[in-house]
């Protein structure tokens, strides 16, 4: 399955049901709809009020779907101090929390590193999205101490993402190999904003292979029951 795709609740082009049906056609057992959080207004970040509507829609769809589960997820902004965009009461409602940086890239290395380390320490965070922030053709990776981030990820059981979207491809294969050596576990995501984007997962799988990752290193190679057990859901 997958943990990081978007729907029309933020900047996606397809409804939750359309995304779920596309995932089923790919043979997935689960799909987390992880829309942007409220602060990322440019991407239609989801307000707390709309989160309630989204959760209700997911619950209703799950009652109808057989051998498949839609997970209630969010791609939550990490602010310049490492705090998350939603409060703990809201974060506790999610099945999956993907924490991400989309602003403040100009901060010095120690502050950028501290932001990611602080997010890793948050008990509600499942994974860190596109950890180095590269946007191919537009933005270089931001400067972080990857060793420190890996140490925090391992210590707090936080996954690092290999983002398959063609302008991201982050972590790259070299960083994935290094992180694996540090004991990090991973998710591989398409970061889909359209049903057709799910095809991008093949790029992330290729990166993971070049980084010498096996299915044992990647959470979303697991079955739904295994994932639920590991996440306590």
């Amino acid at each position: 399955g997958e943990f990081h795709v978007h729907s029309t609740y933020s900047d996606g082009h397809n409804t939750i049901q359309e995304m779920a049906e596309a995932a089923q056609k790919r043979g997935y057992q689960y799909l987390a709809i992880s829309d942007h959080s409220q602060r990322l207004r440019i991407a239609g970040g989801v307000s707390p009020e709309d989160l309630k509507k989204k959760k209700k829609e997911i619950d209703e769809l799950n009652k109808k779907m057989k051998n498949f589960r839609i997970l209630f997820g969010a791609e939550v902004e990490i602010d310049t101090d490492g705090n998350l965009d939603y409060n703990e009461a809201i974060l506790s409602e999610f099945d999956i929390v993907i924490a991400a940086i989309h602003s403040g890239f100009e901060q010095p290395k120690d502050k950028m590193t501290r932001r990611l380390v602080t997010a890793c320490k948050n008990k509600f965070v499942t994974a860190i999205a596109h950890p180095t922030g590269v946007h191919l053709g537009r933005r270089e990776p931001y400067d972080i101490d990857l060793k420190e981030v890996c140490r925090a990820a391992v210590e707090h059981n936080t996954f690092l993402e290999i983002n398959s979207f063609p302008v991201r491809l982050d972590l790259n294969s070299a960083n994935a190999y290094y992180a694996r050596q540090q004991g990090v576990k991973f998710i591989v995501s398409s970061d889909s904003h359209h049903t057709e984007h799910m095809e991008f997962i093949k790029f992330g799988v290729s990166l993971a292979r070049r980084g010498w990752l096996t299915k044992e290193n990647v959470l979303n190679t697991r079955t739904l029951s295994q994932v639920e057990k590991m996440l306590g859901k």
Side-chain angles (χ1 to χ4, degrees), residues 7-228:
S7 75
T8 50
Y9 272 87
S10 62
D11 58 347
H13 294 274
N14 292 95
T15 65
I16 293 174
Q17 182 172 342
E18 289 168 343
M19 295 299 285
E21 289 172 348
Q24 279 188 302
K25 288 178 181 177
R26 294 184 62 82
Y28 293 169
Q29 296 180 10
Y30 52 89
L31 183 72
I33 308 294
S34 299
D35 288 301
H36 291 289
S37 62
Q38 56 190 343
R39 186 170 295 164
L40 201 64
R41 293 181 183 137
I42 193 171
V46 187
S47 68
E49 293 75 23
D50 283 339
L51 282 176
K52 295 176 183 177
K53 298 176 185 176
K54 178 181 172 181
K55 179 65 162 62
K56 182 179 179 181
E57 182 175 339
I58 287 174
D59 289 343
E60 290 175 352
L61 285 169
N62 277 331
K63 291 175 183 177
K64 302 174 185 177
M65 306 191 97
K66 295 182 179 180
N67 303 315
F68 187 85
R69 182 178 171 191
I70 304 169
L71 299 169
F72 182 41
E75 183 180 7
V76 182
E77 286 301 291
I78 303 170
D79 74 10
T80 52
D81 295 315
N83 301 310
L84 298 188
D85 197 10
Y86 294 130
N87 62 38
E88 289 196 354
I90 293 174
L91 291 171
S92 67
E93 295 293 318
F94 293 112
D95 297 314
I96 299 289
V97 174
I98 312 292
I101 290 176
H102 290 98
S103 62
F105 307 118
E106 73 286 347
Q107 286 185 309
K109 182 177 182 177
D110 63 329
K111 290 188 177 180
M112 291 299 295
T113 301
R114 193 178 312 125
R115 288 169 74 181
L116 292 175
V117 168
T118 300
C120 285
K121 291 179 178 179
N122 189 299
K123 64 182 179 180
F124 297 109
V125 171
T126 311
I128 303 294
H130 37 77
T132 74
V134 67
H135 198 288
L136 299 175
R138 192 174 80 179
R139 183 177 64 241
E140 293 296 313
Y142 38 66
D143 196 12
I144 59 171
D145 185 333
L146 185 58
K147 185 174 183 179
E148 286 296 314
V149 175
C150 289
R151 182 181 293 122
V154 172
E155 183 177 350
H156 298 279
N157 198 30
T158 305
F159 298 85
L160 297 186
E161 180 187 69
I162 295 177
N163 189 298
S164 309
F165 209 84
V167 296
R168 292 217 180 259
L169 303 180
D170 173 26
L171 293 167
N172 63 29
S173 55
N175 286 336
Y177 180 76
Y178 175 81
R180 175 183 176 273
Q181 288 182 307
Q182 308 307 305
V184 168
K185 299 295 185 183
F186 304 84
I187 61 172
V188 178
S189 308
S190 65
D191 198 355
S192 295
H193 290 66
H194 192 289
T195 54
E196 295 178 359
H197 293 167
M198 288 186 185
E199 290 290 332
F200 294 158
I201 199 74
K202 62 188 177 185
F203 302 131
V205 172
S206 293
L207 282 176
R209 287 173 173 164
R210 287 202 295 271
W212 285 67
L213 273 60
T214 70
K215 64 181 182 180
E216 297 304 317
N217 306 119
V218 180
L219 179 62
N220 49 307
T221 63
R222 306 307 206 272
T223 65
L224 174 59
S225 61
Q226 289 172 326
V227 166
E228 288 174 331

